[in-house]
Amino acid sequence: MTAAVSVRSARKRYGERFVLDQFDLEIDPGEFVALLGKSGSGKTTLLRVLSGLEQLTEGQALVPSPCTVVFQEPRLIESKRVLENVGLGLPATPENLEAARRALVEVELESHVDAWPTTLSGGEAQRVSLARALLREPKLLLLDEPFAALDALTRLKMQALVARLCARHRPAVLLVTHDVDEAILLADRVLVLAEGRVALTRSIELPRPRSRGGAAVDELRQALLAALGVHE
Amino acid sequence: MNQQLLVPSRGRRLDANLPEPSLAEPSEPSLAEPPRLYAEPTSRSRALGLRILVPLLLLLAWAVGSASGAIADNVLASPAEVARTGQRLIASGVLWHHLSLSLGRAALGLLVGGGLGLVLGTLAGLSKLAENLLDPTVQMVRAVPFLALVPLFIVWFGIGETSKILLIAAAAAKPMYLNAFGGARSVDKKLVEMARVFGLSRFSQVTELFLPAALPSLMVGLRLATSMSLIALIAVEVINTSRGIGFLMLQAQEFFKTGILVVCIVLYALFGLGTDLMVRVLERVFIPWRTQGRS
């Protein structure tokens, strides 16, 4: 099986500093990878490279198409209704509109099809942005701290929703996050990034749907936190 | 006895509170008022009464002043005289004769100048090449008050309609350019990145992202451009005309016909209100995501 994502000896330089330095990463089709790291560890840069917004200084990154992104902010277009935002960039054929409607049903927003984005709550807007990303049946889904701006309760619901939808659609997923528990809850594999390289890799073989506690989870959390330089 | 006292007093308190629910449901929550230091609860009808109080008092003072002879007729005609003059000007068709030409001049100037400002401003806002090419020149021209152009335009284009309309156009172009330029650049960079990730072409980015985002600014530009074109209209019509509201005013001034002067001033005020209303309607039609709530 060929990898969905393949990054080899990647280097990205900003001025004097290498933000990514000899970075390697492979993600299998359908695999959910979470990327942890302190601010400035190169997480965001990697995501921008994979989504085509930045070019590598050296090395190569192979990314499948379609590849879509859920950003930290919903990034909806204010002048388009919810349905048009979901179908953004696709021709407005009856099939595409129907698909957009189905995507909204999946994120439980079918009643907001005709709403303007400014009337949505933060959680609703983020679900629209998830529907937009899933509609294209991506082979690679990039999640850029998509839950960071949500309140605690909404975040729990969104994490469960993402877990469900990724299990159903099976894209390769790269989740960038600061939240160790979130990574353990969602990912098949967790990477800790430090100074532009992978400092730690852990596969997580806990059964799904996962609980948020237990001895195995505690052990994982401690290992990951230690790799991030936090000792409890 | 006690009960009888209590009931009406409660009833009164309820009455006093009754108008509040109507305040609690403003028609446009998105345009809610900012908080005030002194925000006494007032009913709508009371607020309306307060709003027209000062204009009414001024009108009354004017009428009393005129009737008592404190305000001479050749300084300011009485309200009744102004009303009669207005009626006479309308009935004789004189008003329409001048008004139609003035409105035509303002509209044509606005169309030419506003259109030019819109196109150039949007281009400069969208493309760095166009910005480098156009913006420095526009910024230099912008520093020139358009009234300074009057003599030059008369030398170039004569004293006829051409110079008048071009002067109005010059006045209207400036605010339209600036707001179109700012509007086209007001798009959130993060949205542009999103559009690139989702594979929108440059053309789709312009039509689906940049232009809609620029619309609120364009409306501000249109508002300013119309008011500038009215100011320019007044300026060009008191120079060398034989028809138009400005000419009517000039003539009335020579003969101390203050009634006609006031009628003309009221007319200019109505122009201003009219354009304001027009822009509001356009905003409702073209920017529904800002003016409508949940649909």
Side-chain angles (χ1 to χ4, degrees), chain B residues 7-204:
Chain B
V7 171
S9 82
R10 253 191 208 159
R12 227 174 291 137
R13 234 178 278 148
L14 270 177
D15 275 347
N17 282 336
L18 259 184
E20 277 186 3
S22 69
L23 270 182
E25 42 180 35
S27 54
E28 286 159 354
S30 58
L31 305 173
E33 271 201 48
R36 301 253 184 107
L37 185 53
Y38 298 104
E40 308 85 358
T42 47
S43 71
R44 273 196 182 166
S45 55
R46 180 142 172 258
L48 183 70
L50 286 173
R51 275 158 194 270
I52 61 171
L53 184 66
V54 174
L56 273 181
L57 283 178
L58 284 173
L59 194 66
L60 192 71
W62 177 14
V64 169
S66 293
S68 66
I71 303 173
D73 236 21
N74 58 2
V75 173
L76 186 62
S78 70
E81 172 60 22
V82 170
R84 270 197 301 277
T85 308
Q87 239 172 11
R88 209 181 54 239
L89 286 173
I90 291 167
S92 61
V94 171
L95 194 69
W96 181 243
H97 173 74
H98 294 291
L99 181 64
S100 56
L101 191 68
S102 286
L103 283 179
R105 278 174 185 147
L108 195 59
L110 179 66
L111 200 70
V112 172
L116 196 70
L118 176 68
V119 171
L120 294 185
T122 308
L123 278 178
L126 289 178
S127 133
K128 193 76 195 159
L129 175 72
E131 182 190 342
N132 286 334
L133 212 57
L134 296 170
D135 201 53
T137 316
V138 175
Q139 295 299 336
M140 275 191 286
V141 175
R142 187 168 85 89
V144 180
F146 82 92
L147 283 175
L149 298 174
V150 171
L152 196 62
F153 271 41
I154 288 175
V155 170
W156 286 352
F157 306 109
I159 53 169
E161 285 301 300
T162 314
S163 66
K164 287 186 180 58
I165 284 156
L166 288 179
L167 275 164
I168 294 172
K174 211 194 295 182
M176 202 65 217
Y177 172 89
L178 291 175
N179 282 285
F181 181 61
R185 298 188 58 172
S186 69
V187 180
D188 187 354
K189 254 179 75 179
K190 291 180 164 178
L191 276 181
V192 180
E193 282 187 347
M194 181 280 294
R196 275 173 59 196
V197 168
F198 281 86
L200 261 70
S201 65
R202 295 287 293 173
F203 180 77
S204 304

Side-chain angles (χ1 to χ4, degrees), chain A residues 8 11-12 18 36 51 53-54 105 133 201 208 219-220:
Chain A
R8 295 248 169 87
R11 303 185 88 184
K12 175 71 185 175
F18 280 100
L36 290 166
S51 59
L53 292 170
E54 303 265 358
V105 172
T201 306
R208 291 168 188 271
E219 184 275 318
L220 264 169

